[in-house]
Amino acid sequence: MHRYLVLGLCSLLGALCAAGHGQSVVELRGDKCPLVDGRPFFAVGMYSVGAENLQMLAAAGFNLVHTYGWEGQAGNDWGKYWLDAAHQSGLKALVGLYRPHVKAMQFEGSAKRIEMYRDHPALLAWHTMDEPAWDKDTDMGKDYMPAAYQFVREHDPTHPVTAVTCHFADPARFENAVDIMQADYYPVPPIPADWYSGTGFRGIKMFVDNWRKACGGKKPFWFVCQAFDFSLMKEKSHQIAEEWKRFPTLDELRTMTYTAIASGARGVLYW
Protein backbone atom coordinates (compact mmCIF):
# COMPACT_ATOMS: atom_id res chain seq x y z
CA MET A 1 0.00 0.00 0.00
CA HIS A 2 2.76 2.44 0.90
CA ARG A 3 4.28 2.11 -2.56
CA TYR A 4 1.06 3.59 -3.91
CA LEU A 5 1.15 6.38 -1.33
CA VAL A 6 4.54 7.40 -2.68
CA LEU A 7 3.36 7.05 -6.28
CA GLY A 8 0.32 9.23 -5.58
CA LEU A 9 2.44 11.86 -3.87
CA CYS A 10 4.89 12.02 -6.75
CA SER A 11 2.15 12.44 -9.32
CA LEU A 12 1.42 15.75 -7.57
CA LEU A 13 4.94 16.84 -8.44
CA GLY A 14 4.55 16.08 -12.12
CA ALA A 15 4.34 19.75 -13.06
CA LEU A 16 7.85 20.24 -11.68
CA CYS A 17 9.35 17.47 -13.75
CA ALA A 18 10.94 17.63 -17.17
CA ALA A 19 12.22 14.33 -18.48
CA GLY A 20 14.14 14.55 -21.72
CA HIS A 21 13.95 11.78 -24.32
CA GLY A 22 17.05 12.49 -26.45
CA GLN A 23 20.77 12.52 -25.84
CA SER A 24 21.29 13.96 -22.36
CA VAL A 25 22.95 17.35 -22.22
CA VAL A 26 23.24 18.23 -18.53
CA GLU A 27 24.13 21.78 -17.50
CA LEU A 28 24.70 22.86 -13.91
CA ARG A 29 23.50 26.35 -12.92
CA GLY A 30 24.76 27.03 -9.43
CA ASP A 31 22.27 25.80 -6.83
CA LYS A 32 19.34 25.88 -9.26
CA CYS A 33 17.84 22.82 -10.92
CA PRO A 34 20.19 21.54 -13.61
CA LEU A 35 19.16 21.86 -17.22
CA VAL A 36 18.60 18.58 -19.05
CA ASP A 37 18.38 19.01 -22.80
CA GLY A 38 17.78 22.70 -22.19
CA ARG A 39 14.92 22.29 -19.71
CA PRO A 40 14.95 22.67 -15.90
CA PHE A 41 15.03 19.25 -14.29
CA PHE A 42 13.55 18.94 -10.80
CA ALA A 43 14.47 15.39 -9.82
CA VAL A 44 11.69 13.12 -8.54
CA GLY A 45 13.43 9.83 -8.07
CA MET A 46 13.25 6.34 -6.64
CA TYR A 47 16.07 4.12 -5.41
CA SER A 48 16.37 0.36 -5.97
CA VAL A 49 14.19 0.11 -9.07
CA GLY A 50 13.97 -3.04 -11.18
CA ALA A 51 13.39 -2.85 -14.92
CA GLU A 52 9.91 -4.30 -14.45
CA ASN A 53 8.79 -1.21 -12.47
CA LEU A 54 10.18 1.54 -14.68
CA GLN A 55 7.04 2.18 -16.74
CA MET A 56 4.88 2.26 -13.61
CA LEU A 57 7.11 4.91 -12.02
CA ALA A 58 7.20 7.00 -15.19
CA ALA A 59 3.40 6.94 -15.36
CA ALA A 60 3.25 8.09 -11.71
CA GLY A 61 5.35 11.20 -12.37
CA PHE A 62 8.86 10.06 -11.52
CA ASN A 63 11.69 11.15 -13.80
CA LEU A 64 14.81 9.63 -12.18
CA VAL A 65 15.68 6.05 -11.16
CA HIS A 66 18.53 4.05 -9.66
CA THR A 67 19.39 0.38 -9.18
CA TYR A 68 21.87 -1.08 -6.69
CA GLY A 69 23.11 -3.46 -9.36
CA TRP A 70 25.64 -0.78 -10.26
CA GLU A 71 27.20 -0.63 -6.80
CA GLY A 72 27.07 -4.39 -6.22
CA GLN A 73 28.53 -5.69 -9.48
CA ALA A 74 31.91 -5.05 -11.04
CA GLY A 75 30.70 -6.11 -14.50
CA ASN A 76 29.05 -3.71 -16.93
CA ASP A 77 27.24 -5.58 -19.70
CA TRP A 78 24.09 -6.25 -17.65
CA GLY A 79 23.43 -2.50 -17.21
CA LYS A 80 22.63 -1.78 -20.86
CA TYR A 81 19.26 -3.54 -20.66
CA TRP A 82 18.27 -1.54 -17.58
CA LEU A 83 19.41 1.79 -19.02
CA ASP A 84 17.69 1.07 -22.34
CA ALA A 85 14.48 0.25 -20.47
CA ALA A 86 14.75 3.48 -18.46
CA HIS A 87 15.24 5.50 -21.64
CA GLN A 88 12.31 3.79 -23.34
CA SER A 89 10.18 4.75 -20.31
CA GLY A 90 11.24 8.41 -20.58
CA LEU A 91 13.32 8.23 -17.38
CA LYS A 92 16.78 9.50 -16.52
CA ALA A 93 19.12 7.40 -14.41
CA LEU A 94 21.83 7.55 -11.78
CA VAL A 95 24.65 5.14 -12.64
CA GLY A 96 26.69 3.99 -9.66
CA LEU A 97 30.26 2.75 -9.41
CA TYR A 98 31.32 -0.58 -7.91
CA ARG A 99 31.79 0.32 -4.25
CA PRO A 100 34.72 -1.93 -3.25
CA HIS A 101 36.79 -0.48 -6.09
CA VAL A 102 35.86 3.10 -5.18
CA LYS A 103 36.81 2.60 -1.53
CA ALA A 104 40.14 1.05 -2.56
CA MET A 105 40.69 3.83 -5.13
CA GLN A 106 41.08 1.20 -7.84
CA PHE A 107 39.32 2.93 -10.72
CA GLU A 108 40.23 0.76 -13.72
CA GLY A 109 36.82 -0.94 -13.73
CA SER A 110 35.09 2.40 -13.26
CA ALA A 111 36.88 3.72 -16.33
CA LYS A 112 35.39 0.92 -18.42
CA ARG A 113 31.89 1.61 -17.06
CA ILE A 114 32.16 5.33 -17.70
CA GLU A 115 33.44 4.76 -21.23
CA MET A 116 30.63 2.32 -21.93
CA TYR A 117 27.74 4.45 -20.67
CA ARG A 118 28.76 8.12 -20.71
CA ASP A 119 26.94 8.64 -24.02
CA HIS A 120 23.80 6.73 -23.06
CA PRO A 121 20.74 9.02 -23.33
CA ALA A 122 19.32 7.83 -19.99
CA LEU A 123 22.39 8.84 -17.97
CA LEU A 124 21.83 11.92 -15.80
CA ALA A 125 24.62 11.65 -13.23
CA TRP A 126 27.29 9.33 -11.81
CA HIS A 127 26.64 8.07 -8.27
CA THR A 128 29.93 7.47 -6.49
CA MET A 129 28.94 6.31 -2.99
CA ASP A 130 26.22 5.92 -0.36
CA GLU A 131 26.82 7.19 3.18
CA PRO A 132 30.64 7.21 3.05
CA ALA A 133 31.06 8.65 6.54
CA TRP A 134 29.08 5.73 8.01
CA ASP A 135 31.72 3.18 7.01
CA LYS A 136 34.15 3.07 9.91
CA ASP A 137 36.27 0.35 8.21
CA THR A 138 37.57 2.80 5.60
CA ASP A 139 38.84 6.38 5.66
CA MET A 140 35.14 7.38 5.79
CA GLY A 141 35.51 8.97 2.38
CA LYS A 142 38.15 11.50 3.33
CA ASP A 143 40.47 10.42 0.50
CA TYR A 144 38.51 8.16 -1.81
CA MET A 145 35.53 10.49 -2.27
CA PRO A 146 37.43 13.45 -3.79
CA ALA A 147 39.60 10.96 -5.71
CA ALA A 148 36.51 9.33 -7.21
CA TYR A 149 35.07 12.72 -8.09
CA GLN A 150 38.20 13.82 -9.91
CA PHE A 151 38.47 10.51 -11.72
CA VAL A 152 34.87 10.59 -12.97
CA ARG A 153 35.07 14.23 -14.07
CA GLU A 154 38.28 13.54 -15.97
CA HIS A 155 36.64 10.66 -17.85
CA ASP A 156 33.26 12.33 -18.36
CA PRO A 157 33.18 16.12 -17.96
CA THR A 158 29.63 16.33 -19.36
CA HIS A 159 27.69 14.61 -16.53
CA PRO A 160 27.60 15.66 -12.86
CA VAL A 161 28.71 13.54 -9.92
CA THR A 162 26.47 12.89 -6.93
CA ALA A 163 26.60 10.90 -3.69
CA VAL A 164 24.32 10.29 -0.71
CA THR A 165 25.38 11.44 2.76
CA CYS A 166 23.82 10.84 6.16
CA HIS A 167 25.43 13.09 8.82
CA PHE A 168 24.87 16.79 9.41
CA ALA A 169 28.63 17.35 9.09
CA ASP A 170 28.84 15.58 5.71
CA PRO A 171 28.03 18.59 3.52
CA ALA A 172 31.25 20.26 4.68
CA ARG A 173 33.22 17.00 4.49
CA PHE A 174 32.29 16.21 0.90
CA GLU A 175 31.68 19.57 -0.72
CA ASN A 176 34.72 18.94 -2.93
CA ALA A 177 33.52 15.46 -3.95
CA VAL A 178 30.14 16.11 -5.60
CA ASP A 179 28.38 18.40 -8.03
CA ILE A 180 24.97 17.55 -6.53
CA MET A 181 24.71 16.70 -2.83
CA GLN A 182 22.14 14.18 -1.56
CA ALA A 183 21.22 13.45 2.05
CA ASP A 184 19.13 10.53 3.31
CA TYR A 185 17.86 11.86 6.61
CA TYR A 186 15.05 9.66 8.00
CA PRO A 187 12.83 11.37 10.61
CA VAL A 188 9.92 8.92 11.06
CA PRO A 189 8.83 8.65 13.75
CA PRO A 190 10.28 11.82 15.33
CA ILE A 191 10.97 10.05 18.63
CA PRO A 192 14.55 9.84 19.96
CA ALA A 193 16.20 6.42 20.12
CA ASP A 194 19.55 5.41 21.52
CA TRP A 195 21.20 5.42 18.08
CA TYR A 196 19.36 8.31 16.45
CA SER A 197 19.51 12.09 16.70
CA GLY A 198 15.79 12.56 17.28
CA THR A 199 15.71 15.96 15.56
CA GLY A 200 12.51 15.17 13.66
CA PHE A 201 11.43 16.92 10.48
CA ARG A 202 13.41 20.06 11.24
CA GLY A 203 16.54 18.07 10.43
CA ILE A 204 15.60 18.31 6.74
CA LYS A 205 16.10 22.07 6.72
CA MET A 206 19.26 21.68 8.79
CA PHE A 207 20.76 19.52 6.04
CA VAL A 208 19.82 21.98 3.30
CA ASP A 209 21.20 24.90 5.31
CA ASN A 210 24.43 23.05 6.06
CA TRP A 211 24.91 22.31 2.37
CA ARG A 212 24.17 25.89 1.34
CA LYS A 213 26.79 27.09 3.82
CA ALA A 214 29.37 24.47 2.78
CA CYS A 215 29.13 25.13 -0.96
CA GLY A 216 28.45 28.85 -0.75
CA GLY A 217 25.10 28.39 -2.46
CA LYS A 218 26.81 27.25 -5.67
CA LYS A 219 25.62 23.64 -5.97
CA PRO A 220 22.17 21.97 -5.85
CA PHE A 221 20.83 19.71 -3.11
CA TRP A 222 18.55 16.67 -3.43
CA PHE A 223 16.76 15.21 -0.41
CA VAL A 224 16.20 11.46 -0.03
CA CYS A 225 12.88 10.85 1.73
CA GLN A 226 12.17 7.91 3.99
CA ALA A 227 9.75 5.48 2.34
CA PHE A 228 10.43 2.32 4.36
CA ASP A 229 9.85 0.56 7.67
CA PHE A 230 13.06 0.37 9.75
CA SER A 231 12.20 -3.08 11.08
CA LEU A 232 12.22 -4.52 7.54
CA MET A 233 15.78 -3.41 6.78
CA LYS A 234 17.70 -4.23 9.96
CA GLU A 235 19.24 -7.51 11.01
CA LYS A 236 17.07 -9.63 13.27
CA SER A 237 19.59 -9.17 16.06
CA HIS A 238 19.20 -5.39 15.99
CA GLN A 239 16.83 -4.01 18.57
CA ILE A 240 14.19 -1.85 16.88
CA ALA A 241 12.10 0.44 19.08
CA GLU A 242 8.42 -0.50 18.78
CA GLU A 243 7.43 2.97 17.59
CA TRP A 244 9.79 2.59 14.58
CA LYS A 245 8.09 -0.54 13.23
CA ARG A 246 5.94 1.13 10.59
CA PHE A 247 6.03 2.92 7.26
CA PRO A 248 5.68 6.70 7.07
CA THR A 249 2.11 7.83 6.61
CA LEU A 250 1.01 9.81 3.56
CA ASP A 251 0.99 12.98 5.68
CA GLU A 252 4.55 12.28 6.83
CA LEU A 253 5.68 11.66 3.24
CA ARG A 254 4.10 14.96 2.24
CA THR A 255 5.80 16.70 5.14
CA MET A 256 9.22 15.35 4.18
CA THR A 257 8.73 16.19 0.51
CA TYR A 258 7.40 19.71 0.89
CA THR A 259 9.71 20.61 3.77
CA ALA A 260 12.65 19.70 1.52
CA ILE A 261 11.28 21.75 -1.37
CA ALA A 262 10.43 24.74 0.83
CA SER A 263 13.94 24.59 2.32
CA GLY A 264 15.55 24.81 -1.11
CA ALA A 265 16.02 21.22 -2.33
CA ARG A 266 16.15 20.95 -6.13
CA GLY A 267 15.03 17.34 -6.13
CA VAL A 268 13.42 14.68 -3.96
CA LEU A 269 14.09 10.96 -4.10
CA TYR A 270 12.61 8.07 -2.12
CA TRP A 271 14.31 5.12 -0.46
Side-chain angles (χ1 to χ4, degrees):
M1 179 181 72
H2 288 82
R3 171 185 292 180
Y4 297 103
L5 294 180
V6 175
L7 295 179
L9 176 62
C10 286
S11 66
L12 298 176
L13 298 173
L16 295 172
C17 305
H21 295 271
Q23 185 71 35
S24 292
V25 178
V26 184
E27 302 174 57
L28 297 174
R29 307 180 300 151
D31 72 339
K32 298 180 175 62
C33 294
L35 296 181
V36 177
D37 301 326
R39 302 176 61 191
F41 187 94
F42 183 94
V44 180
M46 179 69 77
Y47 274 94
S48 192
V49 179
E52 69 279 6
N53 292 320
L54 293 169
Q55 291 187 358
M56 175 182 65
L57 290 173
F62 286 82
N63 60 10
L64 183 64
V65 289
H66 167 273
T67 175
Y68 283 104
W70 298 117
E71 285 89 341
Q73 300 183 48
N76 299 313
D77 292 340
W78 67 272
K80 186 177 185 303
Y81 170 79
W82 186 84
L83 279 173
D84 287 348
H87 178 58
Q88 291 165 8
S89 300
L91 296 165
K92 297 301 181 189
L94 300 177
V95 174
L97 305 181
Y98 183 51
R99 290 183 187 176
H101 287 175
V102 172
K103 292 177 180 180
M105 291 191 284
Q106 299 172 350
F107 297 121
E108 294 83 1
S110 297
K112 294 179 181 178
R113 180 170 296 180
I114 294 169
E115 181 179 356
M116 182 176 291
Y117 293 122
R118 63 190 172 192
D119 295 324
H120 197 287
L123 174 64
L124 179 74
W126 298 102
H127 192 290
T128 56
M129 188 53 61
D130 180 70
E131 301 183 345
W134 194 260
D135 190 353
K136 305 299 191 296
D137 295 328
T138 69
D139 69 0
M140 298 172 65
K142 177 179 178 292
D143 295 324
Y144 73 72
M145 285 292 288
Y149 174 78
Q150 292 297 330
F151 182 87
V152 173
R153 295 297 287 174
E154 289 172 3
H155 286 74
D156 180 8
T158 63
H159 291 93
V161 173
T162 187
V164 176
T165 63
C166 60
H167 296 125
F168 288 128
D170 286 350
R173 287 180 180 138
F174 301 118
E175 186 278 330
N176 66 341
V178 297
D179 298 304
I180 301 171
M181 172 64 74
Q182 297 183 64
D184 60 354
Y185 172 80
Y186 302 139
V188 175
I191 299 172
D194 59 357
W195 52 280
Y196 191 68
S197 61
T199 54
F201 293 108
R202 70 181 183 275
I204 299 171
K205 185 177 185 302
M206 291 167 62
F207 253 117
V208 181
D209 290 346
N210 286 358
W211 175 240
R212 187 178 292 114
K213 180 179 179 180
C215 72
K218 297 178 180 179
K219 298 180 182 180
F221 178 92
W222 293 347
F223 182 69
V224 182
C225 297
Q226 177 184 348
F228 64 90
D229 176 342
F230 268 101
S231 66
L232 300 180
M233 61 171 284
K234 293 294 182 181
E235 299 85 357
K236 291 183 179 180
S237 60
H238 195 100
Q239 296 298 315
I240 303 294
E242 190 64 33
E243 64 269 16
W244 288 46
K245 295 181 180 180
R246 66 175 180 83
F247 285 93
T249 66
L250 180 56
D251 284 344
E252 288 167 336
L253 283 166
R254 283 174 173 152
T255 300
M256 284 184 274
T257 300
Y258 294 126
T259 298
I261 295 172
S263 299
R266 306 307 184 192
V268 288
L269 294 87
Y270 298 84
W271 194 92

